[in-house]
Coordinates of all heavy atoms in Angstrom, one line a residue:
G704 N -19.7 4.3 -4.8 CA -20.4 4.8 -6.0 C -21.9 5.0 -5.7 O -22.7 5.2 -6.7
T705 N -22.3 5.0 -4.5 CA -23.8 5.2 -4.2 C -24.1 6.6 -3.9 O -23.3 7.3 -3.2 CB -24.1 4.3 -3.0 OG1 -24.0 2.9 -3.4 CG2 -25.6 4.5 -2.5
L706 N -25.2 7.1 -4.4 CA -25.7 8.4 -4.1 C -27.2 8.2 -3.5 O -28.1 7.8 -4.3 CB -25.7 9.3 -5.3 CG -26.4 10.6 -5.2 CD1 -25.8 11.5 -4.1 CD2 -26.4 11.4 -6.5
L707 N -27.4 8.5 -2.3 CA -28.7 8.5 -1.7 C -29.2 10.0 -1.6 O -28.6 10.8 -1.0 CB -28.7 7.9 -0.3 CG -28.2 6.5 -0.1 CD1 -28.3 6.0 1.3 CD2 -28.8 5.5 -1.1
A708 N -30.3 10.3 -2.3 CA -30.9 11.6 -2.2 C -31.5 11.9 -0.9 O -31.5 11.0 0.0 CB -31.9 11.8 -3.4
A709 N -32.1 13.1 -0.8 CA -32.7 13.5 0.5 C -33.8 12.6 0.9 O -34.6 12.1 0.0 CB -33.1 14.9 0.4
N710 N -33.9 12.3 2.2 CA -35.1 11.6 2.8 C -35.3 10.2 2.3 O -36.4 9.7 2.3 CB -36.4 12.5 2.6 CG -36.3 13.8 3.2 OD1 -35.9 14.0 4.3 ND2 -36.6 14.9 2.4
T711 N -34.2 9.6 1.9 CA -34.3 8.2 1.5 C -34.2 7.3 2.7 O -33.7 7.7 3.8 CB -33.2 7.8 0.5 OG1 -31.9 8.3 1.0 CG2 -33.4 8.5 -0.8
H712 N -34.7 6.1 2.6 CA -34.6 5.1 3.7 C -33.9 3.9 3.2 O -34.4 3.3 2.2 CB -36.0 4.8 4.2 CG -36.6 5.8 5.0 ND1 -37.8 5.6 5.7 CD2 -36.3 7.1 5.3 CE1 -38.2 6.8 6.3 NE2 -37.3 7.7 6.0
V713 N -32.9 3.4 3.9 CA -32.2 2.2 3.6 C -32.2 1.4 4.9 O -31.6 1.8 5.9 CB -30.8 2.4 3.1 CG1 -30.1 1.1 2.9 CG2 -30.8 3.2 1.8
G714 N -32.9 0.3 4.9 CA -33.1 -0.4 6.2 C -32.2 -1.5 6.5 O -31.1 -1.6 6.0
N715 N -32.6 -2.4 7.4 CA -31.8 -3.4 7.9 C -31.4 -4.5 6.9 O -32.3 -4.9 6.1 CB -32.4 -4.1 9.2 CG -33.9 -4.5 8.9 OD1 -34.7 -3.6 8.9 ND2 -34.1 -5.8 8.8
F716 N -30.2 -4.9 6.9 CA -29.6 -5.9 6.0 C -29.9 -5.6 4.6 O -30.3 -6.5 3.8 CB -30.2 -7.3 6.4 CG -29.8 -7.7 7.8 CD1 -30.8 -7.6 8.8 CD2 -28.6 -8.1 8.2 CE1 -30.5 -7.9 10.1 CE2 -28.3 -8.4 9.5 CZ -29.3 -8.3 10.5
V717 N -29.6 -4.3 4.2 CA -29.7 -3.9 2.8 C -28.4 -3.5 2.4 O -27.6 -2.8 3.1 CB -30.7 -2.7 2.7 CG1 -30.6 -2.1 1.3 CG2 -32.1 -3.1 3.0
E718 N -28.0 -3.9 1.2 CA -26.7 -3.6 0.6 C -27.0 -2.8 -0.7 O -27.8 -3.2 -1.6 CB -25.9 -4.8 0.2 CG -24.6 -4.5 -0.4 CD -23.8 -5.8 -0.7 OE1 -24.2 -6.9 -0.2 OE2 -22.7 -5.7 -1.3
I719 N -26.3 -1.6 -0.9 CA -26.5 -0.8 -2.1 C -25.1 -0.5 -2.6 O -24.2 -0.1 -1.9 CB -27.2 0.5 -1.8 CG1 -28.7 0.2 -1.3 CG2 -27.3 1.4 -3.0 CD1 -29.5 1.3 -1.0
K720 N -24.9 -0.7 -3.9 CA -23.7 -0.5 -4.5 C -23.8 0.2 -5.9 O -24.7 -0.1 -6.7 CB -23.0 -1.9 -4.8 CG -21.7 -1.9 -5.6 CD -22.0 -2.7 -6.9 CE -21.0 -2.4 -7.9 NZ -21.3 -3.1 -9.2
K721 N -23.0 1.2 -6.0 CA -22.9 2.0 -7.3 C -24.3 2.3 -7.9 O -24.6 2.0 -9.0 CB -22.1 1.2 -8.3 CG -21.6 2.0 -9.5 CD -20.7 1.2 -10.4 CE -20.2 2.0 -11.6 NZ -19.4 1.2 -12.5
S722 N -25.2 2.9 -7.0 CA -26.5 3.2 -7.4 C -26.9 4.5 -7.0 O -26.4 5.1 -6.0 CB -27.5 2.1 -6.8 OG -27.2 0.8 -7.3
T723 N -27.9 5.1 -7.7 CA -28.5 6.4 -7.3 C -29.9 6.1 -6.9 O -30.7 5.5 -7.6 CB -28.5 7.4 -8.5 OG1 -27.1 7.6 -8.9 CG2 -29.2 8.7 -8.1
I724 N -30.2 6.5 -5.6 CA -31.5 6.3 -5.1 C -32.2 7.7 -4.9 O -31.7 8.6 -4.2 CB -31.5 5.6 -3.7 CG1 -30.6 4.4 -3.8 CG2 -32.8 5.3 -3.2 CD1 -31.0 3.3 -4.7
G725 N -33.3 7.9 -5.6 CA -34.0 9.2 -5.7 C -34.6 9.6 -4.4 O -34.9 8.8 -3.5
E726 N -35.0 10.8 -4.3 CA -35.5 11.5 -3.1 C -36.8 10.7 -2.6 O -37.7 10.4 -3.4 CB -35.9 12.9 -3.4 CG -36.4 13.7 -2.1 CD -36.6 15.1 -2.4 OE1 -36.2 15.6 -3.5 OE2 -37.1 15.8 -1.5
G727 N -36.8 10.4 -1.3 CA -37.9 9.8 -0.7 C -38.1 8.3 -1.0 O -39.1 7.7 -0.5
S728 N -37.2 7.7 -1.7 CA -37.4 6.3 -2.0 C -36.9 5.4 -0.8 O -36.1 5.9 0.0 CB -36.5 5.9 -3.3 OG -37.1 6.5 -4.4
K729 N -37.5 4.2 -0.8 CA -37.2 3.4 0.4 C -36.8 2.0 0.0 O -37.5 1.4 -0.9 CB -38.5 3.3 1.3 CG -39.0 4.6 1.8 CD -40.3 4.5 2.6 CE -40.8 5.8 3.1 NZ -42.0 5.7 3.9
V730 N -35.8 1.5 0.6 CA -35.3 0.1 0.5 C -35.1 -0.4 1.9 O -34.1 -0.3 2.5 CB -34.0 0.0 -0.3 CG1 -33.7 -1.5 -0.7 CG2 -34.0 0.8 -1.6
N731 N -36.2 -0.9 2.4 CA -36.2 -1.1 3.9 C -35.8 -2.4 4.5 O -35.4 -2.5 5.6 CB -37.6 -0.8 4.4 CG -37.9 0.7 4.6 OD1 -36.9 1.4 5.0 ND2 -39.1 1.1 4.5
H732 N -35.8 -3.5 3.7 CA -35.5 -4.8 4.3 C -34.8 -5.8 3.3 O -35.3 -6.0 2.2 CB -36.8 -5.5 4.7 CG -37.8 -4.6 5.5 ND1 -37.6 -4.3 6.8 CD2 -38.9 -4.0 5.1 CE1 -38.6 -3.5 7.2 NE2 -39.4 -3.3 6.2
L733 N -33.7 -6.3 3.8 CA -33.1 -7.5 3.2 C -33.0 -7.5 1.7 O -33.4 -8.5 1.0 CB -34.0 -8.7 3.6 CG -34.2 -8.9 5.1 CD1 -35.4 -9.7 5.4 CD2 -32.9 -9.6 5.7
S734 N -32.4 -6.5 1.1 CA -32.4 -6.3 -0.3 C -31.0 -6.0 -0.8 O -30.1 -5.4 0.0 CB -33.4 -5.2 -0.8 OG -34.7 -5.6 -0.5
Y735 N -30.7 -6.3 -2.1 CA -29.5 -5.8 -2.7 C -29.8 -5.0 -4.0 O -30.6 -5.5 -4.9 CB -28.6 -7.1 -3.1 CG -27.5 -6.7 -4.0 CD1 -26.4 -5.9 -3.5 CD2 -27.5 -7.0 -5.4 CE1 -25.4 -5.5 -4.4 CE2 -26.5 -6.6 -6.2 CZ -25.4 -5.8 -5.7 OH -24.4 -5.4 -6.5
I736 N -29.3 -3.8 -4.0 CA -29.5 -2.9 -5.2 C -28.1 -2.5 -5.7 O -27.3 -1.9 -5.0 CB -30.3 -1.7 -4.7 CG1 -31.6 -2.0 -4.1 CG2 -30.5 -0.8 -6.0 CD1 -32.6 -2.7 -5.0
G737 N -27.8 -3.0 -6.9 CA -26.5 -2.7 -7.5 C -26.7 -2.2 -8.9 O -27.6 -2.6 -9.7
D738 N -25.8 -1.2 -9.3 CA -25.8 -0.7 -10.7 C -27.2 -0.2 -11.1 O -27.7 -0.6 -12.2 CB -25.2 -1.7 -11.7 CG -23.8 -2.0 -11.3 OD1 -22.9 -1.2 -11.7 OD2 -23.6 -3.1 -10.7
T739 N -27.8 0.6 -10.3 CA -29.2 0.9 -10.5 C -29.4 2.5 -10.4 O -28.8 3.2 -9.7 CB -30.1 0.3 -9.4 OG1 -30.0 -1.1 -9.5 CG2 -31.5 0.7 -9.4
E740 N -30.3 2.9 -11.3 CA -30.8 4.3 -11.3 C -32.2 4.3 -10.8 O -33.1 3.8 -11.5 CB -30.7 5.0 -12.6 CG -29.3 5.3 -13.1 CD -29.2 6.0 -14.4 OE1 -30.3 6.5 -14.8 OE2 -28.1 6.1 -15.0
M741 N -32.5 4.8 -9.6 CA -33.8 4.7 -9.0 C -34.4 6.1 -8.9 O -33.7 7.0 -8.4 CB -33.8 4.0 -7.7 CG -35.1 3.7 -7.0 SD -35.0 3.0 -5.4 CE -34.1 1.5 -5.8
G742 N -35.6 6.3 -9.3 CA -36.2 7.6 -9.2 C -36.8 7.9 -7.8 O -36.4 7.3 -6.8
K743 N -37.7 8.9 -7.8 CA -38.2 9.4 -6.6 C -39.4 8.6 -6.1 O -40.1 8.0 -7.0 CB -38.7 10.9 -6.7 CG -37.6 11.8 -7.1 CD -38.1 13.2 -7.3 CE -37.0 14.2 -7.7 NZ -37.6 15.6 -8.0
G744 N -39.6 8.5 -4.8 CA -40.8 7.9 -4.2 C -41.0 6.4 -4.5 O -42.1 5.9 -4.5
V745 N -39.9 5.7 -4.8 CA -39.9 4.3 -5.1 C -40.0 3.5 -3.8 O -39.3 3.9 -2.8 CB -38.7 3.9 -5.9 CG1 -38.7 2.3 -6.1 CG2 -38.8 4.6 -7.3
N746 N -40.8 2.4 -3.8 CA -40.8 1.5 -2.6 C -40.3 0.1 -3.1 O -40.9 -0.4 -4.0 CB -42.2 1.4 -2.0 CG -42.2 0.6 -0.7 OD1 -42.0 1.2 0.3 ND2 -42.4 -0.7 -0.8
I747 N -39.2 -0.3 -2.4 CA -38.7 -1.6 -2.7 C -39.1 -2.6 -1.6 O -38.7 -2.4 -0.5 CB -37.2 -1.5 -2.8 CG1 -36.7 -0.5 -3.9 CG2 -36.6 -2.9 -3.1 CD1 -37.1 -0.9 -5.3
G748 N -39.7 -3.7 -2.0 CA -40.1 -4.7 -1.0 C -39.0 -5.5 -0.5 O -38.0 -5.6 -1.1
A749 N -39.3 -6.2 0.7 CA -38.3 -7.0 1.3 C -37.8 -8.1 0.4 O -38.6 -8.7 -0.4 CB -38.8 -7.6 2.6
G750 N -36.5 -8.4 0.4 CA -36.0 -9.5 -0.3 C -35.7 -9.3 -1.8 O -35.4 -10.2 -2.6
T751 N -35.9 -8.0 -2.2 CA -35.7 -7.7 -3.7 C -34.2 -7.6 -4.0 O -33.4 -7.1 -3.2 CB -36.3 -6.4 -4.0 OG1 -37.7 -6.5 -3.8 CG2 -36.0 -5.9 -5.4
I752 N -33.8 -8.2 -5.1 CA -32.4 -8.0 -5.6 C -32.4 -7.6 -7.1 O -33.3 -8.0 -7.8 CB -31.6 -9.4 -5.4 CG1 -32.2 -10.5 -6.3 CG2 -31.6 -9.8 -3.9 CD1 -31.4 -11.7 -6.3
T753 N -31.3 -6.9 -7.4 CA -31.0 -6.6 -8.8 C -30.0 -7.6 -9.2 O -28.9 -7.7 -8.6 CB -30.5 -5.2 -9.0 OG1 -29.4 -4.9 -8.1 CG2 -31.6 -4.2 -8.6
C754 N -30.3 -8.4 -10.3 CA -29.3 -9.4 -10.8 C -28.5 -8.7 -11.8 O -28.8 -8.7 -13.0 CB -30.1 -10.5 -11.4 SG -31.3 -11.3 -10.2
N755 N -27.5 -8.0 -11.4 CA -26.7 -7.1 -12.3 C -25.5 -7.7 -12.9 O -24.8 -7.0 -13.7 CB -26.3 -5.8 -11.5 CG -25.5 -6.1 -10.2 OD1 -25.8 -7.0 -9.5 ND2 -24.5 -5.3 -10.0
Y756 N -25.1 -8.9 -12.5 CA -23.9 -9.5 -13.0 C -24.2 -10.8 -13.7 O -24.8 -11.7 -13.1 CB -22.9 -9.7 -11.8 CG -21.6 -10.2 -12.1 CD1 -20.8 -9.6 -13.1 CD2 -21.1 -11.3 -11.4 CE1 -19.5 -10.1 -13.4 CE2 -19.8 -11.8 -11.7 CZ -19.0 -11.2 -12.7 OH -17.8 -11.7 -13.0
D757 N -23.7 -10.9 -14.9 CA -24.0 -12.2 -15.7 C -22.8 -13.1 -15.7 O -22.8 -14.1 -16.4 CB -24.3 -11.8 -17.1 CG -23.2 -11.1 -17.9 OD1 -22.1 -11.0 -17.4 OD2 -23.5 -10.7 -19.0
G758 N -21.8 -12.9 -14.8 CA -20.6 -13.7 -14.7 C -19.5 -13.1 -15.5 O -18.3 -13.5 -15.2
A759 N -19.7 -12.1 -16.3 CA -18.6 -11.4 -17.0 C -18.8 -9.9 -17.0 O -17.8 -9.2 -16.9 CB -18.6 -11.9 -18.4
N760 N -20.0 -9.4 -17.1 CA -20.3 -8.0 -17.2 C -21.3 -7.6 -16.2 O -22.2 -8.3 -15.8 CB -20.7 -7.7 -18.6 CG -19.7 -8.0 -19.7 OD1 -18.6 -7.5 -19.7 ND2 -20.1 -9.0 -20.5
K761 N -21.3 -6.3 -15.8 CA -22.3 -5.7 -15.0 C -23.3 -4.9 -15.9 O -22.9 -4.3 -16.9 CB -21.7 -4.6 -14.0 CG -20.6 -5.2 -13.1 CD -21.3 -6.1 -12.0 CE -20.2 -6.7 -11.1 NZ -19.6 -5.7 -10.2
H762 N -24.6 -5.0 -15.5 CA -25.6 -4.4 -16.3 C -26.5 -3.5 -15.4 O -26.6 -3.7 -14.2 CB -26.5 -5.5 -16.9 CG -25.8 -6.4 -17.9 ND1 -25.4 -6.0 -19.1 CD2 -25.3 -7.6 -17.7 CE1 -24.7 -7.0 -19.7 NE2 -24.6 -8.0 -18.8
K763 N -27.2 -2.6 -16.0 CA -27.9 -1.5 -15.2 C -29.4 -1.8 -15.1 O -30.0 -2.3 -16.1 CB -27.7 -0.2 -15.9 CG -28.4 1.0 -15.2 CD -28.0 2.3 -15.7 CE -26.6 2.7 -15.2 NZ -26.2 4.1 -15.5
T764 N -29.9 -1.5 -14.0 CA -31.4 -1.5 -13.8 C -31.9 -0.1 -13.6 O -31.3 0.7 -12.9 CB -31.8 -2.3 -12.5 OG1 -31.3 -3.7 -12.7 CG2 -33.2 -2.3 -12.2
I765 N -33.0 0.2 -14.3 CA -33.6 1.6 -14.2 C -35.0 1.4 -13.6 O -35.8 0.6 -14.1 CB -33.6 2.3 -15.6 CG1 -32.2 2.4 -16.1 CG2 -34.3 3.6 -15.4 CD1 -32.1 3.0 -17.5
I766 N -35.2 2.2 -12.5 CA -36.5 2.1 -11.9 C -37.1 3.6 -11.9 O -36.5 4.5 -11.3 CB -36.4 1.6 -10.5 CG1 -35.8 0.2 -10.5 CG2 -37.8 1.6 -9.8 CD1 -35.5 -0.4 -9.1
G767 N -38.2 3.8 -12.5 CA -38.8 5.1 -12.6 C -39.5 5.6 -11.3 O -39.6 4.9 -10.3

Side-chain angles (χ1 to χ4, degrees):
T705 296
L706 172 61
L707 301 185
N710 302 311
T711 49
H712 287 188
V713 175
N715 48 287
F716 301 104
V717 170
E718 179 178 354
I719 299 182
K720 169 243 164 189
K721 199 177 180 182
S722 296
T723 299
I724 310 299
E726 183 174 356
S728 291
K729 299 177 181 180
V730 189
N731 275 329
H732 313 284
L733 302 158
S734 296
Y735 169 71
I736 305 297
D738 297 282
T739 297
E740 291 184 11
M741 186 183 301
K743 300 177 181 179
V745 174
N746 189 88
I747 303 292
T751 294
I752 62 171
T753 54
C754 306
N755 58 317
Y756 182 52
D757 63 8
N760 301 294
K761 300 289 179 71
H762 300 282
K763 180 170 285 188
T764 297
I765 299 175
I766 303 175

